[in-house]
Amino acid sequence: MNFPFVDYSQSPGWIVQYNEQGYDVTTDADGNIYFVDRDNHRLRKITTDGIINSIIGTGSTGSFGGGFNGDGQIGTDTMLDKPSGVAIDGSGNVVFTDYDNQRIRMLASSP
């Protein structure tokens, strides 16, 4: 299957860089696919029409390598440090592990 790819800022026409295979993948009730892009410090979503978007993570672990800038940010403003797992709960929230920050975190679904 050929997908139209987007870059880190979701601009059309660029190929997403994906550095690591073998981490978690899940789907939601609508058939969207979510996957962990661990070494790019992001979670990605492939929509049912084949568009790949970064939904969580800035792609940076910060100048000191900690990769944590608190909770409550917009998903793409949230710093992660090697996410490793992802699931969708019964309310459609994206629940994920932020491995090197030793946290389980959540991106709330839109109402």
Side-chain angles (χ1 to χ4, degrees):
M1 176 180 278
N2 292 323
F3 293 109
F5 290 100
V6 294
D7 75 2
Y8 297 136
S9 63
Q10 285 74 269
S11 299
W14 294 89
I15 294 175
V16 170
Q17 178 182 356
Y18 183 64
N19 283 338
E20 190 70 40
Q21 296 181 4
Y23 290 91
D24 213 3
V25 175
T26 193
T27 59
D28 65 16
D30 296 326
N32 298 300
I33 301 168
Y34 299 78
F35 68 95
V36 172
D37 188 357
R38 187 191 81 151
D39 288 345
N40 285 315
H41 312 286
R42 297 178 186 267
L43 272 76
R44 310 235 193 222
K45 175 182 177 180
I46 306 173
T47 61
T48 56
D49 57 355
I51 302 297
I52 300 174
N53 290 299
S54 298
I55 59 166
I56 306 170
T58 63
S60 171
T61 59
S63 59
F64 299 106
F68 183 74
N69 61 349
D71 293 318
Q73 280 81 325
I74 294 170
T76 53
D77 290 340
T78 302
M79 291 178 73
L80 305 177
D81 199 349
K82 294 198 167 101
S84 61
V86 62
I88 308 299
D89 71 12
S91 298
N93 301 310
V94 180
V95 180
F96 61 99
T97 56
D98 189 358
Y99 184 80
D100 279 358
N101 283 320
Q102 301 177 355
R103 288 174 160 66
I104 296 174
R105 301 175 81 178
M106 182 183 76
L107 178 68
S109 64
S110 300

